[in-house]
Amino acid sequence: MNPVETTTRLICPLTATTVEEMRAEMVAAVAEGADMVECRLDYLDPPPDDEQLADLLRDAPCAVLATCRPVREGGYFDGEESHRLAILTAAGTFDSVEIIDVEIDVPADDRPTGTTILSHHDFEHCPENLDDIAREMDASAAAVSKTAFVVEGPDVALRAFDVIRACRKPTLALAMGEHGVLTRILAKKFGAWGMFASLGVGKESAPGQLTVTDMKHLYRWDAVNPETRVFGVIGCPIAHSMSPAIHNAAFAATEYDGVYVPLRIEPGRETFNNFLDAVHERPWLDLRGLSVTIPHKENALVYIGAENCDELAVRIGAVNTITLDETGSLRGDNTDYAGAIDALCDAMNIAREQLAGKRVAVLGAGGVSRALVAALRHYGAAVTIYNRTLRRAEALAEEFGCVAESIDQADETEAEIAINCTALGMYPNVEASPLSRIPETVKVVFDTVYNPLETKLLSMAKQANCLTVSGLDMFVNQAVAQFERWTDTPAPRDVMRDVVLKRLGK
Ligand code: NAP
């Protein structure tokens, strides 16, 4: 075995059940860009004998970490412990095997000799005595320490970085599950010994593991370094958010030293506050910006305080963009309204102020309507809100000085601009439309729905020779505004737009 190096390696766990398949996975992992593979010998069925180990490990195409995880630690090996340790010892005799994983509960005298990782796993929660465990591992004879634990929120996941920073020897610490993916993406920033990434979806060896491809191409693995600034999106659910792809592509295109991570934070003000409190305690995280989505936009405004938010964000009652400076102080903005208003004004080739006096029909009375109504009224437009639930339209109209009508009256509007802020027409219900015809006075139609790009409403509007504005422009605009606020760099709008189009399959 070779001596342990300290560069963070991207390790691909191999989970095939036969030696032939696992050897093929090794080749595939190298082709994907993994630096090392973890041969999960406990997945092989039956357990490998000496000959099979040789077939697997002799002249391997990359460095190997050999692991034979017992059932008690979340693995598949259910035979005698002496047999398991003998397999590991035999694996360690091959030149390609750089290191062997040994669980912390194996008595010190029984641990295979050679270069080892001492590992600890908790599949239920973050252990209360995490610091004690880390200290014990740090003081052991093993070359590397590894600790992995399940978390219920990114605030607790940050404990993994505390461990890496506190340990003197090479350490790999990570939080498992969707709430912990930031600990995987940021492993290089904190100098972890290595990080695991799967060969593909369905090939994960632990919950929350990302693929090698996503680590390298979506989450900028090769670019991340100790100075990298961190950004992210807070929401729940968050798995299908396009924001990581948009912002990471923008960082790559502008060569900005940043990385953008998904942060699943369960609903509730307390969970939101816990995360930002945990961030404040860790200035070395270099967290500089957050996108905020459902259900935390109001929580963000309350946490930051109205005095540190833009006037319209306060009026709307929602912050979708948080900017942190190097001292950790926070600023809140709402780029949703700005993105929407600018999409409209750019298409009409007018300044925001020229919306004054224009008659606008806003269809819908939900969150997006609220942002648009607040902005339209701020710039002096005369707004009528049409909604299925009239009560909701009336409440919004009263707050912002508008007229409220039932959505059934929308075909009769006398407005010149119509904006759809309902979900009508959105995939898969693409034949739905909030208007059954384009009213005569309407000359501009803006549909905030962006999937499909051309909704039934927009197609009707085109036929009626109206100017049309798609939800795509609004969506890209809000991301562009976030990028520019955080980086003080012009955003690569076309790159960001292309990411959205690609994701939408266009
Ligand atoms: P929301 O708060 O849930 O509001 C939904 C609105 O749609 C309500 O006014 C609701 O009426 C109405 N609605 C839903 N189903 C309806 C139906 N079958 N018939 C009539 N009205 C119906 O949602 P939101 O956050 O405001 O989002 C609204 C839409 O905006 C989304 O569907 C999305 O396509 C679009 N959007 C676009 C962007 C962008 O960047 N382009 C960003 C976010 C959202 P009731 O009050 O009667 O329930």
mmCIF file of all heavy atoms in Angstrom, residues 344-386:
data_model
loop_
_atom_site.group_PDB
_atom_site.id
_atom_site.type_symbol
_atom_site.label_atom_id
_atom_site.label_comp_id
_atom_site.label_asym_id
_atom_site.label_seq_id
_atom_site.Cartn_x
_atom_site.Cartn_y
_atom_site.Cartn_z
ATOM 1 N N LEU A 344 -41.583 42.421 -18.386
ATOM 2 C CA LEU A 344 -42.691 43.152 -19.015
ATOM 3 C C LEU A 344 -42.193 44.446 -19.675
ATOM 4 O O LEU A 344 -42.476 44.707 -20.848
ATOM 5 C CB LEU A 344 -43.745 43.459 -17.942
ATOM 6 C CG LEU A 344 -44.982 44.211 -18.382
ATOM 7 C CD1 LEU A 344 -45.798 43.390 -19.377
ATOM 8 C CD2 LEU A 344 -45.862 44.570 -17.167
ATOM 9 N N CYS A 345 -41.439 45.228 -18.902
ATOM 10 C CA CYS A 345 -40.995 46.539 -19.419
ATOM 11 C C CYS A 345 -40.018 46.370 -20.586
ATOM 12 O O CYS A 345 -40.078 47.141 -21.559
ATOM 13 C CB CYS A 345 -40.358 47.370 -18.302
ATOM 14 S SG CYS A 345 -41.569 47.896 -17.083
ATOM 15 N N ASP A 346 -39.126 45.384 -20.500
ATOM 16 C CA ASP A 346 -38.181 45.163 -21.614
ATOM 17 C C ASP A 346 -38.942 44.826 -22.887
ATOM 18 O O ASP A 346 -38.625 45.346 -23.967
ATOM 19 C CB ASP A 346 -37.198 44.022 -21.277
ATOM 20 C CG ASP A 346 -36.213 44.424 -20.194
ATOM 21 O OD1 ASP A 346 -36.171 45.622 -19.853
ATOM 22 O OD2 ASP A 346 -35.506 43.537 -19.671
ATOM 23 N N ALA A 347 -39.958 43.954 -22.761
ATOM 24 C CA ALA A 347 -40.727 43.562 -23.952
ATOM 25 C C ALA A 347 -41.470 44.769 -24.525
ATOM 26 O O ALA A 347 -41.587 44.926 -25.745
ATOM 27 C CB ALA A 347 -41.704 42.448 -23.599
ATOM 28 N N MET A 348 -41.964 45.645 -23.638
ATOM 29 C CA MET A 348 -42.721 46.818 -24.095
ATOM 30 C C MET A 348 -41.790 47.980 -24.450
ATOM 31 O O MET A 348 -42.246 49.021 -24.937
ATOM 32 C CB MET A 348 -43.700 47.270 -23.002
ATOM 33 C CG MET A 348 -44.800 46.257 -22.733
ATOM 34 S SD MET A 348 -45.853 46.745 -21.339
ATOM 35 C CE MET A 348 -46.735 48.132 -22.011
ATOM 36 N N ASN A 349 -40.487 47.783 -24.141
ATOM 37 C CA ASN A 349 -39.485 48.812 -24.400
ATOM 38 C C ASN A 349 -39.816 50.118 -23.667
ATOM 39 O O ASN A 349 -39.758 51.207 -24.241
ATOM 40 C CB ASN A 349 -39.372 49.048 -25.916
ATOM 41 C CG ASN A 349 -38.043 49.675 -26.280
ATOM 42 O OD1 ASN A 349 -37.105 49.612 -25.477
ATOM 43 N ND2 ASN A 349 -37.967 50.294 -27.448
ATOM 44 N N ILE A 350 -40.196 49.960 -22.403
ATOM 45 C CA ILE A 350 -40.491 51.143 -21.581
ATOM 46 C C ILE A 350 -39.724 51.024 -20.256
ATOM 47 O O ILE A 350 -39.285 49.931 -19.889
ATOM 48 C CB ILE A 350 -42.004 51.281 -21.261
ATOM 49 C CG1 ILE A 350 -42.532 50.035 -20.504
ATOM 50 C CG2 ILE A 350 -42.817 51.535 -22.527
ATOM 51 C CD1 ILE A 350 -43.937 50.208 -19.950
ATOM 52 N N ALA A 351 -39.572 52.171 -19.570
ATOM 53 C CA ALA A 351 -38.975 52.154 -18.233
ATOM 54 C C ALA A 351 -40.073 51.782 -17.236
ATOM 55 O O ALA A 351 -41.258 51.926 -17.534
ATOM 56 C CB ALA A 351 -38.408 53.532 -17.906
ATOM 57 N N ARG A 352 -39.658 51.289 -16.067
ATOM 58 C CA ARG A 352 -40.649 50.894 -15.045
ATOM 59 C C ARG A 352 -41.632 52.029 -14.758
ATOM 60 O O ARG A 352 -42.824 51.809 -14.583
ATOM 61 C CB ARG A 352 -39.939 50.512 -13.746
ATOM 62 C CG ARG A 352 -39.187 49.205 -13.780
ATOM 63 C CD ARG A 352 -38.577 48.943 -12.406
ATOM 64 N NE ARG A 352 -37.767 47.721 -12.398
ATOM 65 C CZ ARG A 352 -37.201 47.237 -11.303
ATOM 66 N NH1 ARG A 352 -37.334 47.856 -10.139
ATOM 67 N NH2 ARG A 352 -36.481 46.129 -11.343
ATOM 68 N N GLU A 353 -41.094 53.241 -14.716
ATOM 69 C CA GLU A 353 -41.928 54.405 -14.368
ATOM 70 C C GLU A 353 -43.038 54.632 -15.395
ATOM 71 O O GLU A 353 -44.074 55.226 -15.080
ATOM 72 C CB GLU A 353 -41.070 55.680 -14.249
ATOM 73 C CG GLU A 353 -40.140 55.707 -13.043
ATOM 74 C CD GLU A 353 -39.013 54.684 -13.116
ATOM 75 O OE1 GLU A 353 -38.636 54.290 -14.236
ATOM 76 O OE2 GLU A 353 -38.523 54.274 -12.045
ATOM 77 N N GLN A 354 -42.817 54.153 -16.615
ATOM 78 C CA GLN A 354 -43.836 54.360 -17.666
ATOM 79 C C GLN A 354 -45.026 53.403 -17.512
ATOM 80 O O GLN A 354 -45.962 53.441 -18.311
ATOM 81 C CB GLN A 354 -43.205 54.205 -19.055
ATOM 82 C CG GLN A 354 -42.287 55.376 -19.402
ATOM 83 C CD GLN A 354 -41.535 55.111 -20.697
ATOM 84 O OE1 GLN A 354 -40.516 54.433 -20.698
ATOM 85 N NE2 GLN A 354 -42.041 55.637 -21.790
ATOM 86 N N LEU A 355 -44.992 52.586 -16.475
ATOM 87 C CA LEU A 355 -46.171 51.746 -16.188
ATOM 88 C C LEU A 355 -47.269 52.600 -15.551
ATOM 89 O O LEU A 355 -48.429 52.185 -15.478
ATOM 90 C CB LEU A 355 -45.804 50.608 -15.230
ATOM 91 C CG LEU A 355 -44.961 49.466 -15.834
ATOM 92 C CD1 LEU A 355 -44.414 48.580 -14.723
ATOM 93 C CD2 LEU A 355 -45.807 48.634 -16.802
ATOM 94 N N ALA A 356 -46.919 53.804 -15.095
ATOM 95 C CA ALA A 356 -47.878 54.679 -14.412
ATOM 96 C C ALA A 356 -49.100 54.904 -15.296
ATOM 97 O O ALA A 356 -48.975 55.239 -16.477
ATOM 98 C CB ALA A 356 -47.209 56.014 -14.074
ATOM 99 N N GLY A 357 -50.275 54.665 -14.733
ATOM 100 C CA GLY A 357 -51.529 54.905 -15.433
ATOM 101 C C GLY A 357 -51.960 53.771 -16.361
ATOM 102 O O GLY A 357 -53.090 53.765 -16.857
ATOM 103 N N LYS A 358 -51.101 52.802 -16.610
ATOM 104 C CA LYS A 358 -51.501 51.702 -17.507
ATOM 105 C C LYS A 358 -52.495 50.794 -16.788
ATOM 106 O O LYS A 358 -52.353 50.522 -15.591
ATOM 107 C CB LYS A 358 -50.275 50.902 -17.957
ATOM 108 C CG LYS A 358 -49.282 51.713 -18.775
ATOM 109 C CD LYS A 358 -48.783 50.927 -19.979
ATOM 110 C CE LYS A 358 -47.757 51.700 -20.784
ATOM 111 N NZ LYS A 358 -48.271 52.874 -21.478
ATOM 112 N N ARG A 359 -53.483 50.318 -17.540
ATOM 113 C CA ARG A 359 -54.501 49.432 -16.959
ATOM 114 C C ARG A 359 -54.029 47.984 -17.100
ATOM 115 O O ARG A 359 -53.748 47.530 -18.212
ATOM 116 C CB ARG A 359 -55.847 49.631 -17.649
ATOM 117 C CG ARG A 359 -56.558 50.913 -17.216
ATOM 118 C CD ARG A 359 -57.739 51.251 -18.101
ATOM 119 N NE ARG A 359 -57.289 51.701 -19.414
ATOM 120 C CZ ARG A 359 -57.650 51.154 -20.559
ATOM 121 N NH1 ARG A 359 -58.481 50.134 -20.587
ATOM 122 N NH2 ARG A 359 -57.198 51.613 -21.708
ATOM 123 N N VAL A 360 -53.918 47.295 -15.958
ATOM 124 C CA VAL A 360 -53.363 45.934 -15.969
ATOM 125 C C VAL A 360 -54.358 44.979 -15.311
ATOM 126 O O VAL A 360 -54.890 45.265 -14.232
ATOM 127 C CB VAL A 360 -52.017 45.878 -15.207
ATOM 128 C CG1 VAL A 360 -51.407 44.474 -15.309
ATOM 129 C CG2 VAL A 360 -51.041 46.925 -15.735
ATOM 130 N N ALA A 361 -54.607 43.843 -15.989
ATOM 131 C CA ALA A 361 -55.412 42.772 -15.388
ATOM 132 C C ALA A 361 -54.460 41.714 -14.860
ATOM 133 O O ALA A 361 -53.675 41.144 -15.627
ATOM 134 C CB ALA A 361 -56.333 42.153 -16.440
ATOM 135 N N VAL A 362 -54.478 41.485 -13.550
ATOM 136 C CA VAL A 362 -53.655 40.429 -12.952
ATOM 137 C C VAL A 362 -54.577 39.247 -12.682
ATOM 138 O O VAL A 362 -55.559 39.370 -11.940
ATOM 139 C CB VAL A 362 -52.975 40.923 -11.655
ATOM 140 C CG1 VAL A 362 -52.304 39.760 -10.933
ATOM 141 C CG2 VAL A 362 -51.940 42.004 -11.984
ATOM 142 N N LEU A 363 -54.269 38.111 -13.299
ATOM 143 C CA LEU A 363 -55.115 36.929 -13.152
ATOM 144 C C LEU A 363 -54.496 36.037 -12.091
ATOM 145 O O LEU A 363 -53.375 35.531 -12.268
ATOM 146 C CB LEU A 363 -55.209 36.185 -14.497
ATOM 147 C CG LEU A 363 -55.477 37.098 -15.713
ATOM 148 C CD1 LEU A 363 -55.346 36.317 -17.017
ATOM 149 C CD2 LEU A 363 -56.853 37.735 -15.611
ATOM 150 N N GLY A 364 -55.192 35.865 -10.961
ATOM 151 C CA GLY A 364 -54.661 35.095 -9.843
ATOM 152 C C GLY A 364 -54.411 35.996 -8.656
ATOM 153 O O GLY A 364 -54.287 37.226 -8.814
ATOM 154 N N ALA A 365 -54.382 35.389 -7.467
ATOM 155 C CA ALA A 365 -54.167 36.184 -6.249
ATOM 156 C C ALA A 365 -53.250 35.454 -5.270
ATOM 157 O O ALA A 365 -53.340 35.625 -4.064
ATOM 158 C CB ALA A 365 -55.516 36.508 -5.588
ATOM 159 N N GLY A 366 -52.341 34.627 -5.798
ATOM 160 C CA GLY A 366 -51.392 33.893 -4.946
ATOM 161 C C GLY A 366 -50.102 34.671 -4.746
ATOM 162 O O GLY A 366 -50.076 35.900 -4.849
ATOM 163 N N GLY A 367 -49.027 33.951 -4.475
ATOM 164 C CA GLY A 367 -47.744 34.570 -4.148
ATOM 165 C C GLY A 367 -47.171 35.394 -5.289
ATOM 166 O O GLY A 367 -46.687 36.517 -5.074
ATOM 167 N N VAL A 368 -47.210 34.876 -6.516
ATOM 168 C CA VAL A 368 -46.645 35.594 -7.655
ATOM 169 C C VAL A 368 -47.475 36.845 -7.948
ATOM 170 O O VAL A 368 -46.941 37.925 -8.216
ATOM 171 C CB VAL A 368 -46.562 34.665 -8.893
ATOM 172 C CG1 VAL A 368 -46.241 35.445 -10.153
ATOM 173 C CG2 VAL A 368 -45.512 33.584 -8.660
ATOM 174 N N SER A 369 -48.813 36.709 -7.854
ATOM 175 C CA SER A 369 -49.685 37.874 -8.067
ATOM 176 C C SER A 369 -49.339 38.967 -7.074
ATOM 177 O O SER A 369 -49.234 40.149 -7.437
ATOM 178 C CB SER A 369 -51.157 37.503 -7.860
ATOM 179 O OG SER A 369 -51.500 36.430 -8.655
ATOM 180 N N ARG A 370 -49.151 38.566 -5.842
ATOM 181 C CA ARG A 370 -48.865 39.530 -4.779
ATOM 182 C C ARG A 370 -47.615 40.356 -5.108
ATOM 183 O O ARG A 370 -47.613 41.582 -4.980
ATOM 184 C CB ARG A 370 -48.683 38.763 -3.465
ATOM 185 C CG ARG A 370 -48.544 39.634 -2.281
ATOM 186 C CD ARG A 370 -48.438 38.861 -0.985
ATOM 187 N NE ARG A 370 -48.083 39.812 0.048
ATOM 188 C CZ ARG A 370 -48.952 40.618 0.639
ATOM 189 N NH1 ARG A 370 -50.233 40.538 0.334
ATOM 190 N NH2 ARG A 370 -48.561 41.500 1.538
ATOM 191 N N ALA A 371 -46.568 39.667 -5.567
ATOM 192 C CA ALA A 371 -45.323 40.368 -5.905
ATOM 193 C C ALA A 371 -45.568 41.332 -7.068
ATOM 194 O O ALA A 371 -45.115 42.487 -7.048
ATOM 195 C CB ALA A 371 -44.243 39.353 -6.270
ATOM 196 N N LEU A 372 -46.300 40.867 -8.072
ATOM 197 C CA LEU A 372 -46.548 41.714 -9.238
ATOM 198 C C LEU A 372 -47.469 42.882 -8.914
ATOM 199 O O LEU A 372 -47.228 44.018 -9.349
ATOM 200 C CB LEU A 372 -47.138 40.864 -10.368
ATOM 201 C CG LEU A 372 -46.054 40.390 -11.346
ATOM 202 C CD1 LEU A 372 -46.441 39.115 -12.026
ATOM 203 C CD2 LEU A 372 -45.738 41.475 -12.369
ATOM 204 N N VAL A 373 -48.509 42.602 -8.146
ATOM 205 C CA VAL A 373 -49.455 43.674 -7.785
ATOM 206 C C VAL A 373 -48.727 44.764 -6.998
ATOM 207 O O VAL A 373 -48.873 45.962 -7.282
ATOM 208 C CB VAL A 373 -50.647 43.096 -6.978
ATOM 209 C CG1 VAL A 373 -51.458 44.219 -6.318
ATOM 210 C CG2 VAL A 373 -51.538 42.243 -7.879
ATOM 211 N N ALA A 374 -47.901 44.351 -6.040
ATOM 212 C CA ALA A 374 -47.165 45.337 -5.231
ATOM 213 C C ALA A 374 -46.282 46.202 -6.128
ATOM 214 O O ALA A 374 -46.246 47.436 -5.992
ATOM 215 C CB ALA A 374 -46.316 44.618 -4.182
ATOM 216 N N ALA A 375 -45.580 45.561 -7.063
ATOM 217 C CA ALA A 375 -44.671 46.313 -7.930
ATOM 218 C C ALA A 375 -45.441 47.199 -8.907
ATOM 219 O O ALA A 375 -45.092 48.366 -9.118
ATOM 220 C CB ALA A 375 -43.768 45.345 -8.679
ATOM 221 N N LEU A 376 -46.504 46.650 -9.506
ATOM 222 C CA LEU A 376 -47.293 47.444 -10.470
ATOM 223 C C LEU A 376 -47.890 48.667 -9.793
ATOM 224 O O LEU A 376 -47.877 49.774 -10.346
ATOM 225 C CB LEU A 376 -48.408 46.571 -11.067
ATOM 226 C CG LEU A 376 -47.950 45.487 -12.047
ATOM 227 C CD1 LEU A 376 -49.064 44.451 -12.267
ATOM 228 C CD2 LEU A 376 -47.535 46.110 -13.383
ATOM 229 N N ARG A 377 -48.380 48.485 -8.585
ATOM 230 C CA ARG A 377 -48.966 49.619 -7.865
ATOM 231 C C ARG A 377 -47.878 50.615 -7.476
ATOM 232 O O ARG A 377 -48.078 51.826 -7.533
ATOM 233 C CB ARG A 377 -49.716 49.128 -6.617
ATOM 234 C CG ARG A 377 -50.972 48.357 -6.930
ATOM 235 C CD ARG A 377 -52.036 49.213 -7.613
ATOM 236 N NE ARG A 377 -52.477 50.307 -6.751
ATOM 237 C CZ ARG A 377 -52.625 51.568 -7.127
ATOM 238 N NH1 ARG A 377 -52.387 51.917 -8.380
ATOM 239 N NH2 ARG A 377 -53.023 52.489 -6.273
ATOM 240 N N HIS A 378 -46.710 50.085 -7.108
ATOM 241 C CA HIS A 378 -45.583 50.952 -6.736
ATOM 242 C C HIS A 378 -45.234 51.888 -7.899
ATOM 243 O O HIS A 378 -44.887 53.051 -7.687
ATOM 244 C CB HIS A 378 -44.372 50.079 -6.377
ATOM 245 C CG HIS A 378 -43.161 50.855 -5.984
ATOM 246 N ND1 HIS A 378 -43.003 51.389 -4.724
ATOM 247 C CD2 HIS A 378 -42.043 51.209 -6.691
ATOM 248 C CE1 HIS A 378 -41.843 52.029 -4.665
ATOM 249 N NE2 HIS A 378 -41.240 51.937 -5.844
ATOM 250 N N TYR A 379 -45.337 51.369 -9.115
ATOM 251 C CA TYR A 379 -45.008 52.188 -10.287
ATOM 252 C C TYR A 379 -46.242 52.873 -10.882
ATOM 253 O O TYR A 379 -46.196 53.417 -11.987
ATOM 254 C CB TYR A 379 -44.259 51.349 -11.333
ATOM 255 C CG TYR A 379 -42.868 51.009 -10.838
ATOM 256 C CD1 TYR A 379 -42.570 49.727 -10.376
ATOM 257 C CD2 TYR A 379 -41.877 51.985 -10.768
ATOM 258 C CE1 TYR A 379 -41.310 49.427 -9.882
ATOM 259 C CE2 TYR A 379 -40.618 51.697 -10.268
ATOM 260 C CZ TYR A 379 -40.339 50.421 -9.824
ATOM 261 O OH TYR A 379 -39.094 50.139 -9.313
ATOM 262 N N GLY A 380 -47.387 52.802 -10.174
ATOM 263 C CA GLY A 380 -48.539 53.630 -10.546
ATOM 264 C C GLY A 380 -49.500 53.032 -11.548
ATOM 265 O O GLY A 380 -50.355 53.745 -12.084
ATOM 266 N N ALA A 381 -49.420 51.722 -11.807
ATOM 267 C CA ALA A 381 -50.381 51.107 -12.733
ATOM 268 C C ALA A 381 -51.743 50.975 -12.052
ATOM 269 O O ALA A 381 -51.831 50.926 -10.823
ATOM 270 C CB ALA A 381 -49.878 49.738 -13.174
ATOM 271 N N ALA A 382 -52.813 50.929 -12.867
ATOM 272 C CA ALA A 382 -54.172 50.719 -12.341
ATOM 273 C C ALA A 382 -54.476 49.230 -12.498
ATOM 274 O O ALA A 382 -54.533 48.719 -13.615
ATOM 275 C CB ALA A 382 -55.167 51.548 -13.135
ATOM 276 N N VAL A 383 -54.633 48.532 -11.378
ATOM 277 C CA VAL A 383 -54.674 47.063 -11.424
ATOM 278 C C VAL A 383 -56.045 46.519 -11.042
ATOM 279 O O VAL A 383 -56.649 46.956 -10.053
ATOM 280 C CB VAL A 383 -53.604 46.482 -10.461
ATOM 281 C CG1 VAL A 383 -53.667 44.958 -10.435
ATOM 282 C CG2 VAL A 383 -52.206 46.959 -10.865
ATOM 283 N N THR A 384 -56.524 45.562 -11.834
ATOM 284 C CA THR A 384 -57.700 44.782 -11.453
ATOM 285 C C THR A 384 -57.234 43.337 -11.254
ATOM 286 O O THR A 384 -56.540 42.788 -12.120
ATOM 287 C CB THR A 384 -58.788 44.826 -12.545
ATOM 288 O OG1 THR A 384 -59.105 46.193 -12.812
ATOM 289 C CG2 THR A 384 -60.042 44.082 -12.100
ATOM 290 N N ILE A 385 -57.598 42.760 -10.114
ATOM 291 C CA ILE A 385 -57.183 41.384 -9.802
ATOM 292 C C ILE A 385 -58.371 40.457 -10.024
ATOM 293 O O ILE A 385 -59.448 40.669 -9.449
ATOM 294 C CB ILE A 385 -56.717 41.279 -8.324
ATOM 295 C CG1 ILE A 385 -55.585 42.279 -8.052
ATOM 296 C CG2 ILE A 385 -56.276 39.847 -7.993
ATOM 297 C CD1 ILE A 385 -55.330 42.533 -6.573
ATOM 298 N N TYR A 386 -58.183 39.453 -10.855
ATOM 299 C CA TYR A 386 -59.230 38.460 -11.135
ATOM 300 C C TYR A 386 -58.793 37.144 -10.508
ATOM 301 O O TYR A 386 -57.678 36.680 -10.776
ATOM 302 C CB TYR A 386 -59.390 38.252 -12.643
ATOM 303 C CG TYR A 386 -59.846 39.495 -13.379
ATOM 304 C CD1 TYR A 386 -58.920 40.438 -13.835
ATOM 305 C CD2 TYR A 386 -61.198 39.721 -13.620
ATOM 306 C CE1 TYR A 386 -59.335 41.577 -14.503
ATOM 307 C CE2 TYR A 386 -61.627 40.860 -14.304
ATOM 308 C CZ TYR A 386 -60.694 41.781 -14.736
ATOM 309 O OH TYR A 386 -61.099 42.910 -15.416
#
